[in-house]
Amino acid sequence: MSSGHAAYHHATTGMFHRRSGGEKERSHLGGPEAWTIWLLATIFVVWLFAIQTGYGIVSPDIQHDANLTLTQVSLAASIYTWAFALVQFFSGSLLDRYGTRPLMAIAVALVTAGAFLYAGTTSFTTLVLAQIVLAVGSSFGFVGAGYIGGKWFDGAKYGLMFGLVQMFASLGSAVSQPAISAMLKHMSWEQLLAGFGAFGVLLTIAFVLVVRNPVATPEEAAAVKAAHEGKNVFVEIFHDLGACFGNRQVVLSALFAGASFGTMLAVGVLWGPRVQEARGATAGFAATLSALAWLGLAFGAPLVNVVSDRWHSRKWPAVVGILLQAVAVALFIYGPANGVGASAVVMLAVGLFAGTHMLGFTIAGESVTPAMIGSASAIVNGICFIIGGVLEAVPGKLLPASPDLADYRSALWIMPVVLVAGAVCALLIKEPRTETTPTGS
């Protein structure tokens, strides 16, 4: 760690408890203000996840009303994930440098604007523009909530707080998918998406009024300024990203996490409802089955860190979890064409074992200096969405205009293959040497 980064980390991690004569009380780890800010950040993630995962439900209506092809719809979904991933690489470092205020409020405003653009989709160009604006704002959501958990709560709970954010986001997705399907019976998709935008306006106001960075003493503020004075922000960002990409553990953890969550994203956002409808399910029941996958992820995300701590291992829970996910995804694609109970169990398992991807954040965070945790987390999350984009776009290119179940089975073989490759990456990971308290303590 450079002296500048060391000073910055000391300043940002030490700004929670101190008082100086005549000054107001400093921010407290885990206090009411910390929980309020974390809750707002989690609501942001739940809201944007609902918009993301709702794409699989509203995309057939958008496809019909805007005269689009299935290839264009899947390409638009992949453009979102790639734009998200590109900006994601910078968002973590920007949060490390500037904190949550005003970046998080700007991010919420961008997602709000994207939702209104989404509601006004009349062509492929409009849809792509909406996806890009949504992606730029959303790139600060999950990593931003994790950053808040790391700055406003005890560092030993970093992995657990990250897992809780994913849990609530997945629970929100599990509820929102069938809810969106039901609401579309009573309103148009344009009205539904405009409603998401209206909620975003209120959330933006809340972020502007409430969310701030922990209070620093004058000495701490001076240390932060000295750490960055005369330095170009982009040079620092690329330096941090280069250091993280040069770390073997970070790269391997990003690849296995990307295989795990990328597959979950492709199933939960796009292909899950389509495949279930090809099996003969109604649109409403297909949405419910996809919601079960997100429900499974809600339990799997915090559970995997608990299992990892109990096993005293990061590597082997990752290997076993991603292989079990490969089995579940293979059953989702190639399992029996009927059977309500079996489909429900399989979709639940797909999400449950996808929780394995959270170990990627834990391993990456334990493999870098504290000043680079934001950058390492952003790399992991960015790779997750790059692989998700590939798994959305490639099958779309292989499918005919009106695919049946056999066509989906011929195109989606790439997903279990990617998961097996992810398991190999997890197998190559070395057990991180850490002196920190287990994340589940």
Side-chain angles (χ1 to χ4, degrees):
M1 188 191 306
S2 68
S3 59
H5 281 120
Y8 172 61
H9 177 63
H10 173 77
T12 54
T13 55
M15 60 176 63
F16 300 98
H17 300 294
R18 301 177 194 164
R19 302 169 185 237
S20 58
E23 295 184 19
K24 68 178 181 178
E25 186 175 336
R26 302 299 164 193
S27 309
H28 289 285
L29 287 172
E33 184 180 26
W35 280 104
T36 300
I37 293 173
W38 183 84
L39 181 61
L40 276 175
T42 303
I43 290 172
F44 175 34
V45 176
V46 170
W47 171 62
L48 68 87
F49 260 57
I51 297 174
Q52 286 176 358
T53 57
Y55 186 74
I57 309 300
V58 301
S59 62
D61 291 332
I62 294 176
Q63 180 181 336
H64 177 269
D65 293 349
N67 295 316
L68 305 177
T69 65
L70 179 59
T71 298
Q72 288 177 313
V73 168
S74 63
L75 180 59
S78 65
I79 287 172
Y80 171 92
T81 56
W82 292 332
F84 179 100
L86 178 63
V87 180
Q88 181 73 99
F89 291 134
F90 296 92
S91 63
S93 293
L94 288 171
L95 285 165
D96 279 338
R97 181 182 176 100
Y98 295 112
T100 51
R101 182 182 179 93
L103 288 177
M104 293 297 284
I106 294 171
V108 178
L110 284 170
V111 176
T112 300
F116 283 120
L117 283 170
Y118 201 2
T121 297
T122 55
S123 66
F124 180 64
T125 301
T126 313
L127 180 59
V128 168
L129 179 61
Q131 297 284 54
I132 291 173
V133 174
L134 280 167
V136 173
S138 298
S139 67
F140 288 87
F142 187 62
V143 168
Y147 175 89
I148 287 171
K151 293 299 181 184
W152 285 92
F153 294 86
D154 185 81
K157 293 183 172 61
Y158 174 73
L160 180 62
M161 297 302 291
F162 233 150
L164 288 174
V165 172
Q166 182 66 74
M167 182 187 76
F168 285 115
S170 300
L171 283 173
S173 298
V175 172
S176 67
Q177 285 202 331
I180 288 172
S181 182
M183 286 188 288
L184 286 174
K185 296 177 181 177
H186 305 285
M187 66 177 70
S188 68
W189 60 270
E190 294 97 335
Q191 292 171 325
L192 177 67
L193 292 170
F196 276 113
F199 178 81
V201 172
L202 298 177
L203 193 59
T204 301
I205 294 171
F207 266 75
V208 170
L209 296 177
V210 175
V211 175
R212 66 177 181 87
N213 299 319
V215 178
T217 65
E219 294 79 10
E220 291 162 349
V224 172
K225 182 179 179 180
H228 298 291
E229 192 169 17
K231 298 178 181 178
N232 184 287
V233 60
F234 291 105
V235 171
E236 287 191 299
I237 288 173
F238 281 113
H239 173 271
D240 289 354
L241 289 175
C244 290
F245 273 116
N247 186 311
R248 178 176 178 270
Q249 291 284 92
V250 172
V251 172
L252 289 173
S253 62
L255 289 173
F256 94 74
S260 178
F261 185 75
T263 302
M264 175 65 210
L265 193 67
V267 172
V269 171
L270 186 60
W271 301 122
R274 299 291 180 119
V275 171
Q276 298 298 355
E277 287 179 26
R279 291 178 185 274
T282 63
F285 185 60
T288 300
L289 288 173
S290 291
L292 284 175
W294 292 106
L295 183 63
L297 181 58
F299 289 101
L303 181 62
V304 69
N305 272 293
V306 175
V307 171
S308 174
D309 291 338
R310 292 291 177 87
W311 287 15
H312 302 289
S313 170
R314 302 294 190 219
K315 173 179 177 176
W316 292 110
V319 173
V320 173
I322 201 168
L323 286 175
L324 289 173
Q325 185 183 355
V327 172
V329 168
L331 288 173
F332 156 70
I333 301 169
Y334 303 108
N338 48 32
V340 173
S343 294
V345 171
V346 166
M347 293 301 284
L348 192 67
V350 167
L352 179 68
F353 296 122
T356 303
H357 84 276
M358 292 304 302
L359 279 177
F361 292 97
T362 304
I363 294 169
E366 291 173 348
S367 303
V368 297
T369 58
M372 293 186 183
I373 285 178
S375 297
S377 298
I379 287 172
V380 174
N381 212 34
I383 296 297
C384 285
F385 278 81
I386 288 176
I387 294 177
V390 171
L391 295 178
E392 288 170 338
V394 172
K397 291 286 187 181
L398 301 176
L399 289 167
S402 300
D404 58 19
L405 183 58
D407 294 321
Y408 283 116
R409 286 174 168 172
S410 297
L412 296 180
W413 58 269
I414 187 174
M415 291 198 289
V417 170
V418 165
L419 286 167
V420 171
V424 173
C425 292
L427 193 62
L428 296 174
I429 287 174
K430 297 178 181 178
E431 293 287 3
R433 295 178 181 178
T434 175
E435 299 176 359
T436 59
T437 306
T439 56
S441 63

